[in-house]
């Protein structure tokens, strides 16, 4: 569906479709599902290309994707909600909530440090090679045992691929009045109120026929085994997992509802998840001029200037300046969003009143993925009137 109306230029939207189709037809990636809304009204709803390299199954707009680190965004919002409910504070030390998380300097890291990736711990992809981490309790044990503080919290920004959101989820579980596991917390406190029926930690039975099995294409060499599903990446096809850093499955439609809630300052269709004040606080840059150590390496390796980390409370921010960013160069400084490894991006531009979700099949390396989404984001913004 392409809607040309007074708020968007139809010819530019068509150019966007042509751009994605050219890239998928030459094999840069297999396919994409893209949803864009302006002023809360859908203007783009597209499925282009296929779910797999063999072009055996065309993509559909309601397909279910493994969304990798977009999982973190769901956990982040639940953490912000828990702060609003008084279960802990942004200044609460993680060691107060997870007492086994001991040892200086990491035991001085607060919830704020975890949300801004400034805990002082290094960015660890897996705490121990070959370990099975589909259960949250096992992941907590692994992080507590193997991931230690390297610098004082707040002095360096190291993107945490998994450790931060293991412990943030543990904090949610341990302060939950009903004693629920994180899977139920996510469903009952976030997905169900927002009508996100195809979002969960794992691929539930009603989602399975529409699931796009991730094609890692060698981009992520780390295995994600499961006790419930076969293969080196079985965690992404299992019905249930506790991988609160990368294990969620969702659709572009569900994630658009999530982003529309944030565009609406915490409320969607009468369901209030966060307060306007919390959304305002979370969508400002808290990391100053610090670079994100992970993307500093990507920038230096690919020969462009190192951008600032520009992190909010769990959100990537566009920020000021002209830098290489998958959030686009034409978006406003207040644009915020999240991404998933080499395959997924979502953002809101509050100034243009735009929400954007794109889920793709066939992972790309980091630099190529950033460049791809920068192009797509800029074309979307260029279509706004």
């Amino acid at each position: 569906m392409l809607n040309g109306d007074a708020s968007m230029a139809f010819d530019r939207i068509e150019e966007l479709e042509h751009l994605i189709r050219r890239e998928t037809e030459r094999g840069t990636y297999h396919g994409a599902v893209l949803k864009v809304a302006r002023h809360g009204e859908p203007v783009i709803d597209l499925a282009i290309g296929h779910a797999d390299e063999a072009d055996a199954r065309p993509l559909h707009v309601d397909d279910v994707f493994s969304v990798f680190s977009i999982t973190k965004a769901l956990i982040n919002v639940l953490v912000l909600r828990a702060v609003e409910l008084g279960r802990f504070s942004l200044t609460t030390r993680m060691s107060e909530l997870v007492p086994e998380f001991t040892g200086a300097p990491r035991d001085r890291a607060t919830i704020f440090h975890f949300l801004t990736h400034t805990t002082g711990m290094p960015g660890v992809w897996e705490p121990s090679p070959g370990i099975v981490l589909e259960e949250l309790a096992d992941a907590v044990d692994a992080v507590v045992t193997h991931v230690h503080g390297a610098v004082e919290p707040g002095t360096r920004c190291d993107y945490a691929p998994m450790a931060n959101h293991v412990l943030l989820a543990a904090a949610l579980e341990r302060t939950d009045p009903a004693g629920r596991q994180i899977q139920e917390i996510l469903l009952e406190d976030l997905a169900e109120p927002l009508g996100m029926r195809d979002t969960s930690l794992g691929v539930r039975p009603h989602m399975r026929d529409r699931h796009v099995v991730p094609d890692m294409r060698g981009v992520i060499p780390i295995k994600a085994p499961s006790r419930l599903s076969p293969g080196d990446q079985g965690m992404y096809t299992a019905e249930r997992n506790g991988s609160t850093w990368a294990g969620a499955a969702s659709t572009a439609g569900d994630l658009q509802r999530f982003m529309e809630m944030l565009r609406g300052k915490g409320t969607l269709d009468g369901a209030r998840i966060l307060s306007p004040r919390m959304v305002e606080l979370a969508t400002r840059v808290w990391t100053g001029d610090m670079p994100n150590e992970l993307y500093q390496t990507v920038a230096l390796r690919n020969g462009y200037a190192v951008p600032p980390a520009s992190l909010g409370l769990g959100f990537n921010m566009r920020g000021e300046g002209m830098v290489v960013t998958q959030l686009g160069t034409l978006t406003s400084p207040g644009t915020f969003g999240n991404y998933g490894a080499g395959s997924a991006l979502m953002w809101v531009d509050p100034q243009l009143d735009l929400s954007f979700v794109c889920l793709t099949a066939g992972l790309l390396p980091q630099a190529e993925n950033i460049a791809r989404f920068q192009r797509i984001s800029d074309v979307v913004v260029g279509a706004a009137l």
Side-chain angles (χ1 to χ4, degrees):
M1 178 188 75
L2 300 174
N3 281 344
D5 60 20
S7 71
M8 301 289 285
F10 184 76
D11 61 331
R12 294 298 183 90
I13 297 174
E14 285 188 313
E15 286 297 325
L16 175 63
E17 181 180 12
H18 297 330
L19 169 65
I20 296 173
R21 199 171 298 282
R22 285 195 302 270
E23 292 187 337
T24 57
E25 286 176 352
R26 65 173 172 250
T28 306
Y29 47 102
H30 309 327
V33 175
L34 177 67
K35 288 183 182 286
V36 177
R38 186 91 192 272
H39 310 310
E41 296 298 323
V43 291
I44 301 174
D45 189 6
L46 291 175
I48 301 170
H50 295 81
D52 55 351
E53 187 176 18
D55 292 351
R57 181 168 83 80
L59 283 177
H60 299 93
V61 293
D62 64 344
D63 276 342
V64 173
F65 288 77
S66 296
V67 296
F68 300 104
S69 284
I70 280 179
T71 307
K72 296 179 175 69
L74 309 178
I75 300 300
N76 293 337
V77 165
L78 288 168
V79 168
L80 297 175
R81 177 180 179 274
V83 169
E84 286 194 350
L85 295 175
R87 293 174 186 171
F88 46 78
S89 299
L90 291 170
T91 56
T92 301
R93 292 184 178 187
M94 184 62 73
S95 55
E96 297 174 41
L97 305 173
V98 184
E100 63 268 38
F101 185 66
T102 58
R106 70 178 187 176
D107 58 359
R108 293 191 283 274
T110 65
I111 296 297
F112 170 84
H113 293 128
F114 276 81
L115 289 171
T116 56
H117 294 268
T118 57
T119 63
M121 298 188 295
V124 173
W125 292 87
E126 55 180 347
S128 181
I131 189 170
V132 179
L133 295 176
E134 68 179 340
E135 294 296 331
L136 181 59
D138 293 337
V140 171
D141 289 344
V143 169
V144 166
T145 302
H146 297 290
V147 187
H148 298 280
V151 299
E152 191 66 26
T155 62
R156 193 171 76 187
C157 181
D158 276 282
Y159 175 74
M162 61 87 63
N164 284 16
H165 289 77
V166 167
L167 294 173
L168 287 170
L172 289 169
E173 284 194 348
R174 296 186 188 194
T175 59
D176 182 60
R180 296 169 296 172
Q181 292 188 308
I182 191 62
Q183 293 89 343
E184 282 64 49
I185 295 172
L186 189 152
L187 283 176
E188 295 170 13
D189 293 351
L190 183 64
E192 289 175 357
L194 292 179
M196 298 165 62
R197 65 178 302 272
D198 291 326
T199 299
S200 63
L201 284 165
V203 184
R204 291 181 289 166
H206 78 277
M207 301 156 59
R208 187 157 302 281
D209 289 346
R210 293 174 286 133
H211 182 226
V212 178
V213 177
D215 181 358
M216 303 299 186
R217 307 172 87 193
V219 171
I220 300 180
I222 298 169
K223 296 179 180 180
S226 166
R227 298 183 182 92
L228 304 174
S229 190
D232 289 344
Q233 306 295 338
M235 187 178 71
Y236 299 113
T237 55
E239 184 172 328
R240 181 182 174 95
N241 70 68
S243 174
T244 52
W245 60 99
S250 190
T251 62
D254 275 12
L255 293 178
Q256 186 176 62
R257 292 190 63 78
F258 179 79
M259 297 308 285
E260 281 292 302
M261 175 271 293
L262 293 167
R263 187 189 66 84
K265 302 191 181 302
T267 299
L268 179 69
D269 295 341
R272 175 171 168 168
I273 305 299
L274 297 175
S275 68
R277 175 57 179 159
M278 181 63 85
V279 175
E280 178 188 353
L281 210 63
T283 56
R284 55 170 283 196
V285 175
W286 288 98
T287 50
D289 295 328
M290 287 188 288
N292 185 326
E293 295 295 325
L294 172 65
Y295 290 100
Q296 175 170 255
T297 301
V298 174
L300 292 173
R301 188 188 307 131
N302 289 276
Y304 58 82
V306 176
S310 296
L311 293 180
L313 300 181
F315 297 104
N316 295 89
M317 304 297 302
R318 166 63 177 89
E320 301 287 348
M322 188 54 61
V323 299
V324 174
T325 168
Q326 53 193 316
L327 295 180
T329 62
L330 303 184
T331 48
S332 67
T335 299
F336 62 90
N338 298 89
Y339 57 84
S343 63
L345 177 69
M346 58 188 192
W347 51 255
V348 166
D349 186 327
Q351 183 174 321
L352 292 174
D353 211 23
L354 270 172
S355 66
F356 168 102
V357 177
C358 187
L359 305 179
T360 69
L363 270 67
L364 293 181
Q366 289 169 330
E368 288 88 336
N369 183 56
I370 292 169
R372 180 256 305 269
F373 277 132
Q374 178 170 289
R375 279 194 310 276
I376 292 174
S377 295
D378 280 347
V379 176
V380 168
V381 173
L385 299 173

